[in-house]
């Protein structure tokens, strides 16, 4: 029962943050360049959201305060990796490997926080602050969160089958990450009168979808495919040992020790029948 309550509390926090985050991605499709880009405010809200889901996970014993040191280490390593390879190789970036592996082993809250905070820290280190930052943080957080649910479904197993499944998820997440960012950026980058693939205010859903599909296929699909392939290869080759190590940390740091109270009772005494009764 306690595990079910913990799962529901964690899920409720993540659903609320996801619903609010989707508004950030959908609003530009409705408003175009009129949508306000309050970078600092949005980034702060996403960062606070990451801390909120961590707090919920700790309170429901899905995480421990000691596991936060693991989160800090992963975020720091990942941010430094992005500092070395800012753009990546034709769309591939190694930062998603640790986000996905960490979420898989530690859970959805850990995965969301890892993705969001990694992008925030790397943006600070690379001077990559801009209107794209909160969207990158949300999308990367969702990548880690999804990996957490994959881990929950597989029981955090590091079997070959589970790792292949995680690698397939990593490939899909690589495509989804790029698609989400294009969904936000598309209404802002092209002149509405300059191309048949441009965003235009007031067009129907069908035409909007057709234009976006054409834009994505021509400008981003190949780039995102390299990210998807890189995620798949890294997770197939290195996912099992990394997830196994993180699983050990999770089990060790979530152990709750208790001291059993000795049972107090009366021990029966058997008196032999050949013991005489004094006169």
């Amino acid at each position: 029962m306690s595990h079910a309550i913990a799962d529901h509390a964690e899920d409720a926090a993540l659903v609320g943050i996801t619903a609010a985050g989707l508004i950030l991605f959908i609003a530009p499709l409705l408003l175009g360049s009129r949508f306000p880009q309050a970078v600092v405010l949005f980034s702060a809200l996403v960062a606070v959201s990451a801390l909120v889901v961590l707090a919920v996970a700790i309170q429901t014993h899905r995480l421990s305060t000691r596991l936060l040191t693991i989160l800090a280490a992963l975020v720091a390593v990942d941010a430094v990796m992005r500092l070395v390879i800012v753009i990546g190789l034709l769309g591939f970036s190694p930062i998603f490997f640790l986000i996905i592996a960490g979420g898989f082993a530690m859970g959805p809250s850990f995965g969301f926080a890892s993705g969001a905070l990694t992008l925030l820290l790397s943006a600070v280190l690379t001077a990559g602050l801009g209107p794209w930052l909160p969207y990158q943080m949300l999308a990367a957080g969702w990548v880690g969160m999804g990996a957490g649910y994959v881990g929950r479904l597989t029981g955090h197993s590091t079997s070959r089958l589970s790792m292949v499944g995680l690698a397939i998820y990593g490939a899909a997440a690589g495509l989804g990450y790029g698609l989400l960012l294009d969904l936000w950026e598309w209404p802002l980058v092209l002149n509405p009168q300059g191309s048949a693939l441009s965003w235009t205010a007031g067009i129907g859903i069908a035409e909007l979808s057709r234009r976006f599909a054409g834009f994505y296929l021509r400008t981003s699909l190949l780039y995102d495919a390299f990210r998807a392939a890189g995620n798949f290869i890294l997770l197939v080759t290195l996912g099992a040992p990394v997830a196994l190590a993180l699983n050990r940390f999770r089990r060790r740091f979530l152990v709750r020790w208790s001291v059993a109270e000795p049972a107090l009772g009366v021990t029966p005494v058997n008196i032999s029948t050949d013991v005489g009764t004094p006169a």
Side-chain angles (χ1 to χ4, degrees), residues 73-164:
L74 291 180
V75 167
V77 170
D78 236 0
V80 170
M81 289 173 67
R82 197 178 187 220
L83 180 62
V84 175
I85 310 176
V86 177
I87 299 177
L89 178 61
L90 296 175
F92 165 67
S93 176
I95 67 168
F96 291 98
F97 170 70
L98 286 180
I99 292 172
I100 293 172
F104 177 83
M106 302 293 191
S109 293
F110 188 100
F112 181 86
S114 175
L117 297 179
T118 293
L119 268 293
L120 176 61
L121 179 58
S122 65
V124 172
L125 293 177
T126 61
L129 299 174
W132 54 83
L133 179 57
Y135 298 94
Q136 289 179 336
M137 292 171 64
L138 275 171
W142 288 335
V143 168
M145 181 184 75
Y149 285 114
V150 173
R152 185 182 293 179
L153 288 173
T154 60
H156 308 285
S157 170
T158 55
S159 67
R160 186 66 179 174
L161 181 60
S162 295
M163 289 298 101
V164 170

Side-chain angles (χ1 to χ4, degrees), residues 11 34 51 60 68 96 101 111 126 134 149 178 187 199 231 235 270 273:
D11 293 342
R34 292 177 297 161
L51 298 178
T60 55
L68 294 183
F96 291 98
T126 61
Y149 285 114
W199 174 89
N231 289 349
L235 288 166
N270 295 323
T273 56

Side-chain angles (χ1 to χ4, degrees), residues 142-216:
W142 288 335
V143 168
M145 181 184 75
Y149 285 114
V150 173
R152 185 182 293 179
L153 288 173
T154 60
H156 308 285
S157 170
T158 55
S159 67
R160 186 66 179 174
L161 181 60
S162 295
M163 289 298 101
V164 170
L166 183 63
I168 293 173
Y169 167 79
L175 291 172
Y177 176 85
L179 192 148
L180 276 173
L181 292 182
D182 275 1
L183 192 66
W184 156 75
E185 189 178 16
W186 177 52
L188 309 176
V189 296
L190 294 178
N191 182 355
Q193 306 301 324
S195 169
L197 301 180
S198 298
W199 174 89
T200 303
I203 62 176
I205 297 297
E207 178 64 14
L208 194 71
S209 301
R210 185 194 68 79
R211 291 192 179 200
F212 176 73
F215 167 79
Y216 181 75

